[in-house]
Amino acid sequence: MTQENVLEALKNVTYPGFTKDIVTFGFVKDVLINGTTVGLTIDITSSADEVKAQLRDEATVELKKLGFEQIQINVTAPQAPKQMSNSVSGKNIAPHVKNFVMVSSGKGGVGKSTTSVNIAIAMAMQGKKVGLLDADIYGPNIPRMMGVADQKPEIQGNKVQPLKAYGVEIMSMGSLMEPGQSLIWRGSMIMKAIEQFLRDILWSELDVLVIDMPPGTGDAQLTLAQSVPVTAGITVTTPQEVSLDDSRRSLDMFQKLHIPTAGIIENMSGFICPSCDEESDIFGMGTTVPVAKEYDTEVIARIPIEPAIRVGGDTGMPVTYHKPDSETAKRFQEAASNLLAFIDKVNAEGGADNSAVQPTTPPGVSACSTASTPTKSQDHSSNGCGCN
Ligand SMILES: Nc1ncnc2c1ncn2[C@@H]1O[C@H](COP(=O)(O)OP(=O)(O)OP(=O)(O)O)[C@@H](O)[C@H]1O
Ligand SMILES: [Mg+2]
């Protein structure tokens, strides 16, 4: 019996929730054979006990079929994060979702959607129930990147079923509109759409909902922060100074909106050459560390430019799933682990709280109308109202 026989047999064991097998994922390691005894390690990314047990059982069955009598399978997995809780205060219009993660950036085109997709898939591979909401209403890219661009969601009454790919639930304005259509909407309509995405989509009881934001600090960001307690904010930036200036605005926004900052993802940081796998410095590397320090946070991952990322995005075959052995997939997995650890820490310390960003006036009453009505002779500008 050879290692090849063992690996071939273990290709019949698929990873729970996925169509891919544990050998193709690269999880099977250290195969040792001695007569009718075999020992091996299955090094998985999920910390769920059911996943471990299922893989051990199925692998044992396959190895017995090959004639092995003594089978030792060591399943290694990351430390199980503590039970995540929704111990939050303030308004929450999607209470069945335990944690919300806002992926933001000051500048467009720096890799927010790419990061959102790959981190969401990585967390699903680590055993979490994950959703991915494309809140970029004007420029929805998630359906293409997740390979569901030609699917339409099912409507149930006045609610909508999310789409599903790579173990992740998905919703996007792109999935509700005809391809190529544009939206010309006022800010108030964007705010309404974000609320509906949270309230009227039939999300499961999710551990984490990753929300891919439009660039900048506008209506979408404010609406999200006022609708649900956002557990963690991630800022994506490229290493150039011009991008860093904008990412400072994004980090400042997290502070103003009372969103705990999980950290910065430095994207397009160095270049991995597809022919030699060498990493070289193009836009600069490591420039985000001082910015992270300024805002008392961390760089949770440095993702190099790798052509496979762009190809994965364009073809709906994200690297984290389709090239799990690539350097960038490993870094997205690491970013996901860091994010989950951060979410645990926030919850252990009492959870996210958005009560400070709620409007102080009752619904339907503008801030102006709460000021005592000035008499005709009063000067409007002197009462601080400013709405004359
Ligand atoms: N590390 C990387 N290596 C190679 N290509 C990348 C990398 N990161 C992102 N890209 C590519 O760069 C383009 C822009 O990325 P993406 O759409 O994720 O940015 P964005 O910040 O969401 O943009 P927007 O602000 O327009 O929503 C995409 O084609 C994507 O595939
Ligand atoms: Mg985007």
Side-chain angles (χ1 to χ4, degrees):
M1 213 70 70
T2 64
Q3 275 204 7
E4 283 68 40
N5 298 139
V6 169
L7 292 178
E8 206 46 48
L10 293 180
K11 281 189 183 163
N12 294 322
V13 180
T14 50
Y15 192 68
F18 292 86
T19 50
K20 227 160 152 170
D21 67 86
I22 54 173
V23 178
T24 312
F25 263 131
F27 292 159
V28 180
K29 300 194 173 133
D30 308 329
V31 180
L32 282 176
I33 301 167
N34 186 3
T36 54
T37 303
V38 61
L40 57 89
T41 298
I42 305 177
D43 186 12
I44 54 171
T45 49
S46 167
S47 51
D49 285 339
E50 317 83 73
V51 173
K52 283 189 207 169
Q54 185 176 336
L55 290 178
R56 197 191 303 274
D57 291 351
E58 290 185 13
T60 305
V61 170
E62 293 302 327
L63 294 169
K64 274 193 179 150
K65 279 193 215 159
L66 281 185
F68 286 110
E69 288 164 11
Q70 300 275 348
I71 298 166
Q72 284 164 5
I73 300 174
N74 176 28
V75 185
T76 58
Q79 277 268 313
K82 279 172 255 122
Q83 184 58 48
M84 287 192 273
S85 73
N86 197 14
S87 52
V88 294
S89 348
K91 187 173 170 188
N92 186 355
I93 63 170
H96 50 296
V97 175
K98 293 198 186 93
N99 297 287
F100 302 86
V101 174
M102 186 195 275
V103 180
S104 219
S105 77
K107 227 185 196 25
V110 293
K112 285 177 299 302
S113 304
T114 305
T115 299
S116 305
V117 160
N118 284 286
I119 285 198
I121 294 175
M123 287 193 290
M125 288 171 76
Q126 293 185 25
K128 297 289 165 212
K129 272 189 97 61
V130 182
L132 175 55
L133 170 58
D134 186 354
D136 195 347
I137 310 280
Y138 292 127
N141 294 135
I142 294 295
R144 177 181 298 281
M145 289 184 170
M146 289 294 277
V148 295
D150 51 4
Q151 293 181 32
K152 285 276 165 256
E154 206 181 293
I155 314 283
Q156 286 186 357
N158 56 358
K159 305 256 175 182
V160 181
Q161 276 289 355
L163 298 171
K164 196 155 186 188
Y166 305 117
V168 174
E169 295 183 9
I170 306 155
M171 188 41 64
S172 166
M173 191 53 89
S175 305
L176 301 172
M177 288 162 41
E178 290 308 314
Q181 260 188 350
S182 67
L183 277 181
I184 305 161
W185 275 6
R186 292 189 192 283
S188 56
M189 292 155 89
I190 297 284
M191 288 151 75
K192 190 93 200 124
I194 302 259
E195 277 176 18
Q196 285 195 303
F197 274 145
L198 294 163
R199 212 194 297 262
D200 296 340
I201 303 299
L202 294 165
W203 302 107
S204 309
E205 301 257 323
L206 299 174
D207 292 315
V208 186
L209 180 63
V210 177
I211 304 155
D212 177 26
M213 302 305 294
T217 55
D219 288 327
Q221 284 77 2
L222 181 58
T223 305
L224 182 65
Q226 288 186 328
S227 305
V228 294
V230 181
T231 329
I234 292 180
T235 289
V236 183
T237 182
T238 53
Q240 304 97 313
E241 285 300 329
V242 282
S243 177
L244 292 182
D245 287 344
D246 291 329
S247 64
R248 284 190 177 87
R249 278 186 265 281
S250 179
L251 290 162
D252 179 63
M253 172 190 74
F254 288 154
Q255 290 185 347
K256 289 200 170 110
L257 294 180
H258 295 260
I259 297 174
T261 307
I264 301 178
I265 297 227
E266 183 178 310
N267 188 30
M268 309 198 197
S269 166
F271 168 68
I272 295 192
C273 162
S275 35
C276 61
D277 279 346
E278 279 280 313
E279 192 168 347
S280 54
D281 188 350
I282 289 198
F283 290 157
M285 289 197 294
T287 49
T288 45
V289 174
V291 182
K293 286 209 175 109
E294 247 174 78
Y295 287 86
D296 200 19
T297 183
E298 290 170 30
V299 178
I300 52 172
R302 277 202 318 104
I303 312 288
I305 299 175
E306 190 171 32
I309 295 187
R310 202 259 314 142
V311 175
D314 281 353
T315 58
M317 297 169 79
V319 276
T320 299
Y321 182 83
H322 284 281
K323 288 191 175 271
D325 284 334
S326 65
E327 182 55 32
T328 43
K330 286 181 193 150
R331 298 211 192 164
F332 279 124
Q333 287 285 359
E334 197 183 310
S337 306
N338 288 341
L339 173 61
L340 288 170
F342 180 81
I343 289 173
D344 268 351
K345 181 169 148 271
V346 170
N347 288 327
E349 289 168 0
D353 179 358
N354 66 357
S355 48
V357 293
Q358 297 304 325
T360 50
T361 50
V365 180
S366 80
C368 291
S369 57
T370 61
S372 60
T373 316
T375 59
K376 272 199 178 128
S377 59
Q378 274 180 305
D379 172 9
H380 287 227
S381 59
S382 64
N383 63 13
C385 166
C387 56
N388 46 342

